[in-house]
Each structure stands twice: as C-alpha cells, then as structure tokens.
Amino acid sequence: MKRPVWMIVFPLLLSGCSSLGVSNWMPTSWFGSSDTVTGDSVLGLDADTPVTHDAISRQLGDGFQIRTGMQSNGADVLPYAEVRQNDTRVMTVNGKADGQISSVDIDSPEIKTEWGTHVGSRFSDIYPKALGANCKIGQTEVDSAVICQAPQDQRIRYVFSGEWDGPQTLLPPDATLRDWQIKRIIWQAAPAP
C-alpha cells in the first residue's frame, strides 16, 4: 500500500523543528540577536554603515526612534544620528565627512561588549589598577571623567565617572577609581592612536 506524501514529509518536518530549539531563532534581548559591541561593530553597525535613517534602521530593526541630523565639528559639518527607545537615548552614531560611521557613543546598560562590560560596570571589574590601564582625564557633559582603553580592543573606550575631590587635572588614585562606573562606552571605527 502506497503512503500519501504528507505522511512521509510531515514527521521529517516535525523532527527538524524539534532540533532547532527556541534559543536558535528567538532574540536574546530587545536589540535582537546581534546585541553586542565587538571590535568590528556595535549591534551590527560598522565602519561601512552610512549614517542615514534607513541604513541604521535596517540594521537595528524595529522598536527604535532614529533622529538624523548634522553637527558642527570645527570647520566640518558631519552627519549624526540619535537612537532612542521609549524616549531614552540608547546611543549616538557619529559620522565622517564621507557619510559613514566614525564612532558610536553607547549610553544604554542593555548593550554589552562581547566581554560582558556595560554601562554601570565598575572600574575594578575590568582593571586591577589605573597604572597600565591606558587611562586619561576626560570631560563629560556634567562632570569630569576618566577615559580608559578596553584591554581587549583599541577601538573601544570606557568613560568612567564618580566622586573625586582632588584636582581635575590628575587621575584619581586606585582606591577612588575602583568604585567608579562606566557612564558611556565609545566605539571607534578606526583604532585609537
């Protein structure tokens, strides 16, 4: 007796589906499956991505509000995009004169590096001490900061901030820095000089 084709194919389809597993196709976070910062990209945005609404939206997927514009950088006027979700800034994408990404400033603790660091990570979780951590004094919108190179990649820098009563021109001591937290992660398309 000949079996109908569906009786042969259907069990094969079922066995194939059961081996896929939910984790292979469902997003692991609200950013989707490409939810990390690596040396090469931020959530899939890389040095070849144009700073346009369509290109950024296509890479990040739905659920984001993307505002594009131009900003002055000395004599240059460069493209940028602010990425928001639920009225909260997630990241700012900065462009070069050729229209492609030069850097991305990450403000959301939901976006982690491939090594697990994120906005809110403590200095002491990453560096044993400031000496040798390639850190320098920086400035944020509201207070002084310490900017350090990621140990794993020259294209990633961490901006730390915290309490410090000493001179703004000196790096705080290790005992002070240890509890400072990452306020922002900066990814650069080209390695820092």
Side-chain angles (χ1 to χ4, degrees), residues 122-175:
R122 292 184 344 151
F123 185 93
S124 59
D125 293 336
I126 305 166
Y127 307 99
K129 54 186 178 179
L131 185 65
N134 198 5
C135 298
K136 63 181 181 179
I137 299 296
Q139 190 70 31
T140 65
E141 294 89 350
V142 292
D143 54 13
S144 61
V146 171
I147 303 172
C148 302
Q149 193 80 56
Q152 299 89 350
D153 199 292
Q154 290 188 328
R155 290 167 288 189
I156 298 172
R157 292 181 293 159
Y158 303 128
V159 180
F160 292 93
S161 65
E163 296 294 323
W164 165 236
D165 294 329
Q168 299 298 307
T169 55
L170 296 177
L171 277 175
D174 291 334

Side-chain angles (χ1 to χ4, degrees), residues 90-112:
V90 173
M91 66 177 115
T92 303
V93 180
N94 304 295
K96 301 181 291 189
D98 66 3
Q100 293 177 316
I101 293 178
S102 65
S103 65
V104 179
D105 298 339
I106 300 151
D107 300 299
S108 171
E110 297 291 328
I111 304 176
K112 297 183 179 181

Side-chain angles (χ1 to χ4, degrees), residues 7-192:
M7 290 181 75
I8 298 169
V9 174
F10 190 67
L12 291 174
L13 287 174
L14 285 178
S15 66
C17 289
S18 65
S19 67
L20 285 176
V22 172
S23 62
N24 289 337
W25 65 271
M26 291 205 47
T28 56
S29 80
W30 46 276
F31 286 109
S33 59
S34 178
D35 60 351
T36 57
V37 179
T38 69
D40 296 325
S41 67
V42 176
L43 309 184
L45 301 172
D46 60 24
D48 296 325
T49 305
V51 184
T52 64
H53 182 280
D54 289 346
I56 294 170
S57 179
R58 187 167 47 250
Q59 184 58 48
L60 297 181
D62 297 331
F64 298 95
Q65 300 84 48
I66 300 168
R67 301 175 185 162
T68 58
M70 304 296 281
Q71 60 186 348
S72 176
N73 182 10
D76 298 322
V77 178
L78 305 173
Y80 80 97
E82 186 177 81
V83 179
R84 301 178 74 84
Q85 186 169 61
N86 301 325
D87 294 326
T88 301
R89 184 175 63 194
V90 173
M91 66 177 115
T92 303
V93 180
N94 304 295
K96 301 181 291 189
D98 66 3
Q100 293 177 316
I101 293 178
S102 65
S103 65
V104 179
D105 298 339
I106 300 151
D107 300 299
S108 171
E110 297 291 328
I111 304 176
K112 297 183 179 181
T113 68
E114 60 183 309
W115 312 288
T117 50
H118 55 87
V119 170
S121 291
R122 292 184 344 151
F123 185 93
S124 59
D125 293 336
I126 305 166
Y127 307 99
K129 54 186 178 179
L131 185 65
N134 198 5
C135 298
K136 63 181 181 179
I137 299 296
Q139 190 70 31
T140 65
E141 294 89 350
V142 292
D143 54 13
S144 61
V146 171
I147 303 172
C148 302
Q149 193 80 56
Q152 299 89 350
D153 199 292
Q154 290 188 328
R155 290 167 288 189
I156 298 172
R157 292 181 293 159
Y158 303 128
V159 180
F160 292 93
S161 65
E163 296 294 323
W164 165 236
D165 294 329
Q168 299 298 307
T169 55
L170 296 177
L171 277 175
D174 291 334
T176 299
L177 275 177
R178 65 175 288 105
D179 291 323
W180 281 27
Q181 295 182 340
I182 295 177
K183 180 173 185 168
R184 175 174 292 160
I185 297 173
I186 301 171
W187 174 88
Q188 296 178 289

